[in-house]
């Protein structure tokens, strides 16, 4: 037998597993240190009350033969897909129920989507990038090309008309940098993709953090996107579903390549390899879009937005360059004193007990940068910034 040799070309472990190992070793050696985790983008607030209520009701339904649910509809229950189309319609974006595929999260979809594309496609990935996009291409032995995001372009690279591409990954507001494209900037990507006959894989997992109505939250706000873009979204960051698992992917009916509907291919893939998300989880997800659910999730998002402000204002005070924190739960800061990303990770952990994510873990262009998340507890976030202030004044300035 042969193993998939491509796996041997991956980093030995996934970024966040490596970080967890380092934290565990530090905690073991320093049991007295109160570690504050601003590393992985995991939410800390519990699920909203209306979501919990729907969950409970759905569990009770499963207890009676009259209301019991077995396998669900292939693309997700109609009630959830309808709620998602209304969510788009509130922003005057026309997405049909039939174009939505409910899933257990956008990480899986963004990885699995590669099944419907041929091996020899030219893939463009921003650098730095969410590691899943890169690793899933490496796993199938595909080389990728990078578009450089850096301080000069505000970590928002623009398309180069002279460069060829078949698949383009975009995430806005971005993970890891927190930078967000304007409509005009996204329009250039859509134009470029249509011109190249390429497909944009648009990760909108952080769209709910956009508070400016002039900023785009979906690629479909851009004219022409329906013929060149697939959109992924998740309930994780929007509604605290990181441990509950729910997301969806939109593939417009007009999205055709080589005379074949990509919608049809994804349907074929999903019906073979996926059996849907539990009825209870989909009912809980539908509650997110009710009036009460929307109010509750906005309160939670505001809580995280305030954390982002606390972090950003400390960085402003200390004169540290950063992106994000405005339409995003991520703050992407420059490391001080020319420390590399991992040196700064160690420095911060040892001197302050704060955990962040080294920028280099997201690609070469992340060297010398560091990501903090606003998903933490409020008092811990404030405490972390006090500790950062002290360490900065003692060791850096
Ligand atoms: C992150 O910290 O980058 C995210 O939590 C990863 C994810 O959403 O899978």
């Amino acid at each position: 037998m042969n193993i998939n040799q491509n796996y041997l070309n991956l980093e030995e472990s996934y970024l966040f597993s490596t970080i967890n190992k380092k934290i565990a070793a530090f905690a073991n050696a320093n049991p007295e240190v109160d570690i504050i985790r601003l590393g992985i983008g995991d939410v800390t607030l519990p699920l909203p009350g209306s979501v919990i209520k729907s969950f409970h009701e759905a569990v009770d339904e499963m207890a009676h033969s009259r209301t019991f649910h077995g396998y669900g509809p292939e693309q997700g229950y109609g009630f959830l897909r309808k709620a998602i189309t209304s969510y788009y319609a509130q922003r005057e974006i026309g997405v049909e129920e039939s174009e939505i595929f409910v899933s257990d999260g956008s990480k899986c979809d963004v990885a699995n989507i590669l099944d419907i594309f041929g091996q020899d496609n030219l893939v463009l990935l921003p650098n730095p990038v969410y590691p899943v996009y890169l690793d899933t291409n490496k796993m199938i032995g595909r080389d990728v090309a990078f578009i450089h995001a850096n301080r000069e372009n505000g970590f928002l690279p623009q398309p180069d008309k002279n460069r060829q591409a078949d698949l383009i990954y975009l995430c806005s507001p971005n993970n890891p940098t927190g930078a967000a494209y304007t409509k005009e900037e996204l329009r250039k990507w859509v134009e470029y993709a249509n011109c190249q006959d390429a497909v944009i894989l648009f990760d909108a997992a952080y769209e709910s953090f956009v508070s400016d109505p002039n900023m785009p939250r979906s690629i479909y706000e851009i004219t022409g996107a329906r013929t060149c873009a697939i959109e992924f979204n998740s309930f994780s960051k929007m509604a605290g579903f990181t441990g509950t698992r729910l997301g969806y992917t939109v593939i417009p009916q007009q999205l055709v390549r080589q005379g074949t509907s990509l919608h049809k291919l994804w349907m074929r893939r999903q019906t073979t390899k996926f059996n849907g998300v539990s009825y209870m989880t989909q009912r809980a997800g539908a509650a997110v879009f009710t009036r009460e659910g929307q109010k509750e999730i906005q309160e939670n998002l505001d809580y995280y937005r305030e954390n982002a402000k606390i972090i950003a204002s400390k960085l402003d005070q200390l004169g540290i360059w950063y992106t994000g924190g405005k339409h995003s739960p991520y703050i992407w800061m420059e490391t001080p004193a020319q420390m590399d990303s991992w040196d700064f990770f160690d420095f911060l952990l040892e001197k302050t007990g704060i955990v962040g994510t080294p920028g280099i873990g997201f690609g070469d262009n992340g060297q010398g940068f560091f990501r903090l998340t606003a998903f933490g507890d409020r008092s811990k976030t404030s405490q972390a910034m006090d500790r950062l202030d002290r360490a900065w004044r003692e060791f850096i300035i």
Side-chain angles (χ1 to χ4, degrees), residues 38 147 150 181 189 195 205 231 301 336 339 346 370 383 397:
L38 304 179
I147 25 176
N150 46 41
Y181 280 115
W189 277 110
C195 205
E231 180 159 293
L301 290 167
M339 272 189 229
D346 292 335
F370 199 75
Q383 218 181 316
I397 298 177

Side-chain angles (χ1 to χ4, degrees), residues 68-371:
F68 170 77
H69 288 78
Y71 290 127
E74 289 164 344
Q75 285 181 247
Y77 282 97
F79 61 79
L80 180 56
R81 286 186 291 128
K82 189 161 186 267
I84 295 168
T85 56
S86 316
Y87 182 59
Y88 277 108
Q90 280 164 17
R91 286 171 276 149
E92 292 171 14
I93 303 166
V95 165
E96 305 286 324
E97 264 178 68
S98 64
E99 295 173 330
I100 296 167
F101 293 83
V102 172
S103 73
D104 57 350
S106 51
K107 177 176 180 172
C108 316
D109 281 1
V110 96
N112 293 332
I113 198 76
L114 293 182
D115 274 9
I116 68 167
F117 296 104
Q119 178 69 19
D120 52 0
N121 281 309
L122 220 124
V123 175
L124 276 194
L125 279 185
N127 180 343
V129 74
Y130 178 39
V132 175
Y133 311 157
L134 175 62
D135 285 357
T136 50
N137 276 285
K138 280 191 180 169
M139 284 171 179
I140 55 172
R142 184 190 279 139
D143 284 334
V144 301
F146 289 112
I147 25 176
H148 295 288
N150 46 41
R151 191 172 159 168
E152 288 63 52
N153 58 27
F155 287 94
L156 291 168
Q158 289 294 307
D160 172 355
K161 280 196 221 99
N162 301 316
R163 206 163 168 190
Q164 243 191 300
D166 298 313
L167 280 177
I168 304 156
Y169 287 78
L170 295 180
C171 174
S172 181
N174 187 265
N175 180 14
T177 69
Y181 280 115
T182 62
K183 279 190 188 161
E184 186 47 31
E185 288 163 340
L186 275 189
R187 197 182 54 72
K188 288 190 190 141
W189 277 110
V190 166
E191 251 176 43
Y192 169 76
N194 274 320
C195 205
Q196 295 274 330
D197 220 20
V199 172
I200 295 175
L201 302 176
F202 189 78
D203 187 346
Y206 298 91
E207 57 81 21
S208 55
F209 280 85
V210 174
S211 40
D212 179 346
N214 296 316
M215 291 289 286
R217 287 168 50 191
S218 162
I219 190 83
Y220 303 121
E221 289 179 50
I222 313 300
T223 310
R226 288 179 62 81
T227 54
C228 70
I230 295 177
E231 180 159 293
F232 305 90
N233 205 345
S234 157
F235 287 66
S236 288
K237 319 294 158 126
M238 179 207 319
F241 276 55
T242 50
T244 306
R245 309 308 307 151
L246 187 62
Y248 59 89
T249 288
V250 178
I251 309 193
Q253 302 284 2
Q254 290 98 319
L255 188 47
V256 172
R257 289 294 179 272
Q258 293 191 301
T260 302
S261 149
L262 297 191
H263 182 280
K264 222 171 129 186
L265 293 188
W266 184 240
M267 173 78 95
R268 188 69 184 82
R269 191 266 171 212
Q270 289 297 79
T271 47
T272 303
K273 294 196 181 180
F274 184 58
N275 248 344
V277 181
S278 79
Y279 171 71
M280 288 81 74
T281 305
Q282 295 195 51
R283 280 283 306 278
V288 168
F289 300 109
T290 59
R291 193 188 294 250
E292 185 58 17
Q294 284 293 296
K295 189 174 148 277
E296 289 173 325
I297 67 158
Q298 281 312 322
E299 282 164 12
N300 288 358
L301 290 167
D302 283 344
Y303 178 94
Y304 297 133
R305 286 187 182 113
E306 187 56 33
N307 284 352
K309 269 195 203 148
I310 290 169
I311 299 173
S313 76
K314 178 52 68 191
L315 301 191
D316 285 335
Q317 257 179 37
L318 296 173
I320 303 168
W321 188 92
Y322 65 92
T323 55
K326 202 167 170 202
H327 300 296
S328 162
Y330 296 128
I331 289 103
W332 178 254
M333 61 178 280
E334 201 161 46
T335 59
Q338 272 147 23
M339 272 189 229
D340 79 21
S341 301
W342 277 114
D343 284 347
F344 186 63
F345 175 92
D346 292 335
F347 166 85
L348 212 57
L349 188 57
E350 279 158 25
K351 303 288 185 229
T352 69
I354 303 170
V355 175
T357 310
I360 186 74
F362 301 98
D364 299 351
N365 287 351
Q367 185 59 282
F369 291 89
F370 199 75
R371 195 191 76 175

